[in-house]
Amino acid sequence: MNEMTALKVMKINHGRLEKLPETFKTNFSKVVVLDLSYNALSNIPKSIGDIKIKTLKLANNKLVEIPDSIWGNVYTVHLEFDNNNISSISDSVQKAVH
């Protein structure tokens, strides 16, 4: 899978995925649609926010926080984080909203 460096759409959902490799950004830098919903992810690498992802679906996982890099990604226009264990949102996001 790591050899699929031109991959633009990645859907790994309804499974048991628990962790993404820290090298995700390096191996999949061209991904623009990332759907990892309905898995068992408890965290995601901060480097995900450095990819030009337009759609990021992480709903129905076990996430407790979302890295600031994802909130600040100017390329992302669609985010899904519903049904996770997120109890707070970054101060930088709250300031931007108010």
Side-chain angles (χ1 to χ4, degrees), residues 32-71:
V32 293
V33 175
L34 181 58
D35 183 354
L36 302 174
S37 56
Y38 293 91
N39 278 294
L41 292 169
S42 58
N43 62 47
I44 49 176
K46 292 178 183 179
S47 63
I48 294 286
D50 299 332
I51 302 172
K52 296 179 180 179
I53 295 175
K54 291 182 179 183
T55 300
L56 179 58
K57 296 182 179 184
L58 295 167
N60 297 288
N61 276 286
K62 297 178 180 178
L63 297 171
V64 294
E65 68 178 353
I66 304 300
D68 284 350
S69 61
I70 290 175
W71 294 116

Side-chain angles (χ1 to χ4, degrees), residues 66 68 71 88-98:
I66 304 300
D68 284 350
W71 294 116
S88 65
I89 296 176
S90 167
D91 288 340
S92 61
V93 174
Q94 290 182 18
K95 288 176 186 175
V97 172
H98 295 310

